[in-house]
Amino acid sequence: MTLSYRRLIPSVLLAALLAACAAPPKPDAAAAAPTAAPTTTAAATSAAAAYDFDMDVFHPVVARRGMVVSEQALASQAGLEMLKAGGNAVDAAVAVGFTLAVALPNAGNLGGGGFMMVHTADGRDVALDFREMAPGHASRDMYLDAQGKVVDGRSLFTHLAVGVPGSVAGLTHAQQRWGKLTLAQVMAPAIRLAERGYAVSQTLAETLDKTAKTMGQWPATRAVFWRNGQPLKQGDWLVQKDLAQSLRLIADQGAEVFYRGVIGQKIAAEMARHGGLITMQDLAQYRVVERAPIVGEYRGYRVVTMPPPSSGGIHLVQILNMMEGWPIGDWGAGSAQTIQHMAEAMKLAYADRSEYLGDTDFIKVPVAGLISKAYARSLAATIDAKRARPSSDIKPGKPQPYESDQTTHFSVADSAGNAVAVTYTLNTNFGSGIVADGTGILLNNEMDDFSAKPGVANVYGLIGGEANAIAPGKRPLSSMTPTLVMKDGRPWLVTGSPGGARIITTVLETVVDAIDFRMNPAEAAATPRFHHQWWPDQLRVEKGLSPDTLALLRSYGQHVAVMPTMGRTQTIQIRDGAMYGAADPRNPDGAAAGW
């Protein structure tokens, strides 16, 4: 007979027995956890403090006498060399600009143009415009066929794409106006590097490979960047003898040789052989312009940035004005709430960009209205915290009543109080891909930044209107946003980025990361970025945002797309008697160099 213990033992006792068997043994009273917090000796507390003192996850380079940050370590070292030789931040910046033409040929340049923000030690802020200009024979419909349609590629990869370059005029002007050293001194590192050469990095090799089709059609380009019928590979030695000679001529004779001398003659001859428009007269008539900066206030900081023909400064300040009423420091970096609000503000700013921005020498831009805090409040009031407004519902605003990827950036600061932010460009990687024969100089394709036809997007997907139509002598609209942030009247942040249409939002997020989220430059550079430019109706994000955040944004109606990286900031923060520099990790060739 089989016995059942359940029948012999009362159910209550059985339950208690089973529970006792399942439960862990009761600890001895002496070993029980203390009811009060344990005490710690002073020595143990002191030892622990050595490990728990730093909140920073990423660390910038720290220096006290000077800092140079660029996308190429060789160029950063050239700038640092000038500081150590007794030069100031402008000397260093000019050295970096010329050296990048050698070491970063896809974006650094002599044959392009750009913008420079300068803060001098005596407190002056100047926006230096050395943007390219349309040749004298340029016309409004030069990129249209007989049916009025845009001819694919004509504004990008032909001699008709080239605007009159401004970089040489801009860099030499800055050197003469604010530098301490001679032009020959600051150009010496670039000449030396072009003559001796350097090993092609993986980044440069990959960029050459991706642009082989457009660059490979020009013999003078292949002579510099090709070996054995193929683009240079990683580790190949790049020597640029013709470019070294052009640099040496500029160092000896100044900008005159580029715009009225032998270099200009070679550029004009290149144009004439291939149906381009630039003549010696166009080159001789080129002028740099010193402009008053766009100035805004954000949470007690003064934002000093680039005016038209850059759209960057106006829309940076416009978006910051919209954001000022939001407690995003409490919402947190990378939160769905922060991104939703900022993305909606971006849409509104880019819609205004399409309508109102252009060269102020040719059109009236309602600057005061666009950067008015009252106008920003009226725009911010239309933003819904839980609903993305379709781009098709957004039209350019009415600011008038409120009236009263290829570019590179570098930043420099010195201990005297000078600070320089420079963004300059060939437009796309290697510009037109055309080297002017006998000069070693790559030429821009900046004419694509004009509106070839109102309503038709350019290479960056940006839509322009009549304000940015082509006209002789006009400067094309840009997104470049070299920026200085001032605190108590002194430079606090020096920053900028390449990135085409995404420059404005990249600089915006860098400023916000520093002010609202108190990140150092290295942390800000490592933070995932996001971007909306109105059209296309797409919230572009980098990898690294949490799936929960992306799901929330999609539930609001945002068309989220995880896409390749955006921007490559080069940033210096000045505080507590030190300079903190960080080159964006998105380009491994970059470096911050300080002393």
Side-chain angles (χ1 to χ4, degrees):
M1 181 177 68
T2 303
L3 293 176
S4 168
Y5 289 101
R6 284 187 179 274
R7 295 181 65 184
L8 294 175
I9 304 174
S11 59
V12 174
L13 292 176
L14 178 62
L17 179 63
L18 292 173
C21 292
K26 193 171 183 179
D28 182 78
T35 55
T39 59
T40 305
T41 66
T45 301
S46 177
Y51 293 94
D52 296 329
F53 67 92
D54 190 357
M55 296 288 285
D56 292 347
V57 178
F58 297 95
H59 293 265
V61 174
V62 184
R64 295 190 177 275
R65 301 181 68 176
M67 180 70 70
V68 183
V69 190
S70 83
E71 280 201 79
Q72 233 296 337
L74 295 168
S76 296
Q77 287 299 323
L80 188 63
E81 183 181 328
M82 295 305 106
L83 293 176
K84 290 182 175 180
N88 61 20
V90 175
D91 294 305
V94 174
V96 172
F98 280 115
T99 305
L100 283 171
V102 182
L104 190 74
N106 56 304
N109 67 85
L110 303 185
F115 303 124
M116 178 184 293
M117 284 300 315
V118 180
H119 176 83
T120 62
D122 59 4
R124 289 174 295 153
D125 296 315
V126 181
L128 186 64
D129 175 358
F130 55 99
R131 181 72 159 149
E132 301 91 338
M133 297 172 66
H137 289 101
S139 60
R140 185 182 186 280
D141 299 331
M142 62 186 284
Y143 299 122
L144 307 184
D145 63 17
Q147 287 73 46
K149 296 181 179 179
V150 175
V151 179
D152 189 31
R154 184 180 289 178
S155 66
L156 286 169
F157 304 120
T158 73
H159 287 70
L160 289 172
V162 184
V164 182
S167 290
V168 172
L171 293 173
T172 55
H173 177 93
Q175 176 62 33
Q176 184 176 17
R177 185 90 158 82
W178 300 294
K180 293 169 61 179
L181 304 177
T182 66
L183 183 61
Q185 282 178 287
V186 300
M187 292 188 67
I191 296 168
R192 185 171 65 239
L193 187 64
E195 287 179 332
R196 297 178 183 176
Y198 59 92
V200 172
S201 69
Q202 179 182 345
T203 305
L204 178 54
E206 289 174 351
T207 308
L208 284 166
D209 183 65
K210 290 181 184 300
T211 53
K213 182 178 179 180
T214 54
M215 295 179 70
Q217 45 185 326
W218 309 111
T221 303
R222 292 197 305 270
V224 179
F225 297 107
W226 257 240
R227 293 288 186 279
N228 302 318
Q230 292 184 324
L232 293 171
K233 303 286 193 295
Q234 181 181 359
D236 286 346
W237 202 255
L238 175 55
V239 175
Q240 300 171 78
K241 294 291 186 183
D242 284 348
L243 182 58
Q245 177 60 16
S246 293
L247 288 164
R248 190 179 294 105
L249 287 169
I250 296 167
D252 292 341
Q253 302 176 40
E256 186 79 6
V257 72
F258 187 95
Y259 293 94
R260 292 180 175 84
V262 64
I263 297 176
Q265 291 165 5
K266 290 180 179 180
I267 291 172
E270 175 75 26
M271 292 290 115
R273 281 194 300 272
H274 298 279
L277 299 183
I278 296 174
T279 64
M280 284 300 294
Q281 183 178 1
D282 291 318
L283 290 163
Q285 290 178 345
Y286 184 84
R287 296 289 183 275
V288 299
V289 182
E290 291 186 17
R291 302 187 187 275
I294 295 294
V295 179
E297 298 286 336
Y298 182 67
R299 307 199 195 281
Y301 293 82
R302 187 167 178 261
V303 180
V304 183
T305 185
M306 200 68 206
S310 172
S311 62
I314 284 177
H315 297 306
L316 171 64
V317 171
Q318 182 185 20
I319 298 171
L320 288 172
N321 285 344
M322 284 188 256
M323 293 177 59
E324 199 159 30
W326 303 331
I328 68 165
D330 296 333
W331 296 347
S335 71
Q337 193 170 13
T338 292
I339 296 173
Q340 164 71 4
H341 282 76
M342 290 180 68
E344 293 299 291
M346 291 171 186
K347 290 183 193 177
L348 297 169
Y350 276 83
D352 280 353
R353 183 191 189 277
S354 74
E355 180 75 11
Y356 298 113
L357 269 291
D359 185 347
T360 51
D361 292 340
F362 285 75
I363 64 158
K364 179 172 174 54
V365 176
V367 176
L370 287 165
I371 65 172
S372 158
K373 288 189 180 289
Y375 178 53
R377 285 194 293 271
S378 74
L379 294 176
T382 69
I383 292 174
D384 190 322
K386 296 293 177 67
R387 176 182 174 271
R389 190 173 169 191
S391 292
S392 56
D393 290 353
I394 296 173
K395 300 295 183 284
K398 300 293 183 184
Q400 291 88 346
Y402 299 88
E403 286 271 79
S404 8
D405 195 350
Q406 186 61 319
T407 306
T408 190
H409 179 87
F410 49 97
S411 297
V412 186
D414 63 32
S415 58
N418 300 292
V420 184
V422 182
T423 312
Y424 75 152
T425 185
L426 289 168
N427 194 22
T428 58
N429 268 319
F430 303 100
S432 64
I434 298 166
V435 169
D437 195 19
T439 69
I441 296 172
L442 275 160
L443 300 173
N444 69 81
N445 55 359
E446 210 59 67
M447 294 292 287
D448 186 70
D449 273 0
F450 282 114
S451 300
K453 182 179 181 181
V456 176
N458 70 1
V459 68
Y460 298 108
L462 289 171
I463 297 172
E466 293 294 337
N468 192 38
I470 302 168
K474 191 175 183 180
R475 299 171 195 247
L477 186 60
S478 171
S479 297
M480 293 184 286
T481 317
T483 297
L484 308 173
V485 178
M486 317 295 286
K487 184 178 182 180
D488 301 325
R490 293 189 294 271
W492 182 77
L493 199 73
V494 187
T495 193
S497 176
R502 298 173 287 278
I503 292 174
I504 300 169
T505 53
T506 296
V507 174
L508 168 72
E509 289 161 44
T510 301
V511 171
V512 168
D513 286 343
I515 294 175
D516 289 290
F517 303 128
R518 300 187 179 185
M519 295 184 190
N520 69 46
E523 290 173 320
T527 299
R529 295 180 180 135
F530 55 93
H531 168 79
H532 206 304
Q533 63 184 54
W534 178 46
W535 285 109
D537 192 353
Q538 176 189 79
L539 177 56
R540 175 174 176 155
V541 302
E542 294 181 335
K543 69 178 184 180
L545 294 173
S546 79
D548 292 347
T549 296
L550 299 182
L552 276 172
L553 290 166
R554 290 188 174 106
S555 76
Y556 300 158
Q558 297 286 1
H559 303 295
V560 178
V562 180
M563 296 182 72
T565 59
M566 295 178 276
R568 296 182 298 279
T569 54
Q570 312 298 319
T571 304
I572 301 169
Q573 188 178 49
I574 305 165
R575 56 180 170 82
D576 306 325
M579 303 171 199
Y580 299 81
D584 199 309
R586 290 164 185 80
N587 182 356
D589 292 350
W595 74 308

